[in-house]
Amino acid sequence: MSTAADAPAGGAEGPVPSGDGTPAYHCYEPHRAGLPDLRVYFRDLWKRREFAIENSRAGMRAANTMTFFGQAWLVINPLLLALVYFLLVSALKNSGFNPSLLAHITGGIFVYYFFQGAVLTGASSVTGAGKMVVNTAFPRLLLPIGAVRTALYRFFPTIPVYLIFHILAGNPWTLATFVAAPLFLFFLTVFATGLAALFAASQVYFRDTSSFLPYIMRIWLYISPVLMTMAEISRHHIMRMLSPLNPLYSIIGGYSEALQNGVFPPWHMWLLAIGWATVSLVAGSFFFLSRERDFAVRL
């Protein structure tokens, strides 16, 4: 059982003993910065996982994404966007109808739409749940985690649609398709979770985060292997040199290589993807935890 008690900033925390000397509950006292007892926090986080699941489901029901037409719109919206980008890219390249390019852009837009939704929704997860944060004691990290879960479940209906384009393009079905592609999707989920936690904490202090973040996501789309293939990026010297600095180059690029070409990505893409996902999750989560008990004062 966890409770929150009002105390001066910087106060101590610890288990409060009961009459027989055993800890009855753990008291989290608000302070401006600093990490809580991670062992206790993550144990409580795991115990409250059902809260994140139900909060995610409630958000999906509120957005009507649990209905047939709601599920259909989850597919139609990114699909129309993919078709628009396909026509634009085909016109710029002065090329005809290319099923492989269409499959690449469709798969890339679907997975990028998931990533973008996870980060944007996660960024507003704390400020959007202000009353709950102020009045309820629970690990706040559940809020951005729940937002990522919502984005992931909104992504699942697009998978069967992509498979149609995969078949029409004649893309291969190999071991990499069924092993490497899901693993790189997992890396993307971990990476998005870290960014969601980072921007969720940032938006509590800087409310303009929600204003400029969509523009960052749009620019990120254009410089990532979503509209461009990995082969096209490798032909540009500057982009090839700077690509390791773009986390989505290795993560979405590895996902695309496994899914579109049916090959296992090279080892350096695995290392970059694992590294970026780990750094994002650790840095974002620890920044969130260090500021979490200051949220109620700021909201």
Side-chain angles (χ1 to χ4, degrees):
M1 171 180 177
S2 299
T3 62
D6 293 332
E13 68 171 68
V16 179
S18 61
D20 59 0
T22 60
Y25 60 89
H26 196 88
C27 178
Y28 294 100
E29 297 182 353
H31 62 288
R32 294 183 64 84
L35 294 173
D37 186 327
L38 297 181
R39 180 179 59 84
V40 175
Y41 186 92
F42 286 112
R43 185 174 65 230
D44 196 24
L45 188 73
W46 176 253
K47 290 180 179 179
R48 304 289 187 91
R49 63 188 183 278
E50 292 295 332
F51 171 83
I53 294 174
E54 291 302 323
N55 189 48
S56 172
R57 289 174 177 170
M60 294 178 69
R61 285 193 295 267
N64 295 320
T65 55
M66 304 292 286
T67 65
F68 172 79
F69 289 105
Q71 293 283 331
W73 181 245
L74 295 179
V75 175
I76 294 173
N77 192 20
L79 180 58
L80 291 176
L81 185 62
L83 293 176
V84 169
Y85 279 122
F86 171 70
L87 293 175
L88 178 62
V89 171
S90 298
L92 291 176
K93 292 182 177 180
N94 195 24
S95 61
F97 179 74
N98 187 339
S100 297
L101 178 62
L102 178 59
H104 169 78
I105 293 179
T106 303
I109 289 293
F110 282 171
V111 77
Y112 189 85
Y113 214 73
F114 150 64
F115 168 71
Q116 176 179 270
V119 175
L120 294 181
T121 307
S124 60
S125 60
V126 174
T127 54
K131 292 184 179 179
M132 185 165 56
V133 170
V134 171
N135 297 306
T136 308
F138 66 95
R140 288 8 179 196
L141 191 58
L142 289 171
L143 293 173
I145 291 176
V148 175
R149 179 193 182 274
T150 300
L152 185 62
Y153 273 75
R154 291 167 65 93
F155 166 73
F156 286 153
T158 66
I159 296 178
V161 178
Y162 164 75
L163 293 179
I164 297 175
F165 291 93
H166 189 94
I167 295 172
L168 293 177
N171 290 339
W173 300 90
T174 65
L175 185 62
T177 307
F178 299 99
V179 175
L183 284 175
F184 275 88
L185 180 62
F186 171 74
F187 299 151
L188 183 64
T189 304
V190 173
F191 181 68
T193 302
L195 289 187
L198 175 66
F199 288 120
S202 300
Q203 188 157 317
V204 174
Y205 297 91
F206 308 101
R207 300 303 172 93
D208 289 338
T209 301
S210 59
S211 299
F212 69 79
L213 192 55
Y215 294 98
I216 294 178
M217 302 304 294
R218 183 60 59 86
I219 295 173
W220 213 344
L221 167 67
Y222 296 142
I223 62 176
S224 300
V226 176
L227 305 181
M228 297 179 292
T229 64
M230 296 293 290
E232 290 173 332
I233 293 178
S234 64
R235 286 196 293 266
H236 292 80
H237 178 70
I238 297 179
M239 294 187 65
R240 185 174 67 253
M241 295 293 294
L242 297 178
S243 57
L245 301 178
N246 178 8
L248 295 185
Y249 166 79
S250 56
I251 301 177
I252 293 184
Y255 173 83
S256 177
E257 284 288 283
L259 198 63
Q260 303 290 332
N261 301 325
V263 298
F264 282 92
W267 63 268
H268 71 273
M269 295 189 69
W270 286 90
L271 293 179
L272 284 172
I274 294 173
W276 280 116
T278 303
V279 169
S280 174
L281 182 65
V282 173
S285 299
F286 274 66
F287 177 71
F288 187 96
L289 293 177
S290 69
R291 312 307 306 183
E292 177 176 330
R293 283 170 285 169
D294 193 35
F295 290 167
V297 180
R298 301 283 180 170
L299 293 175

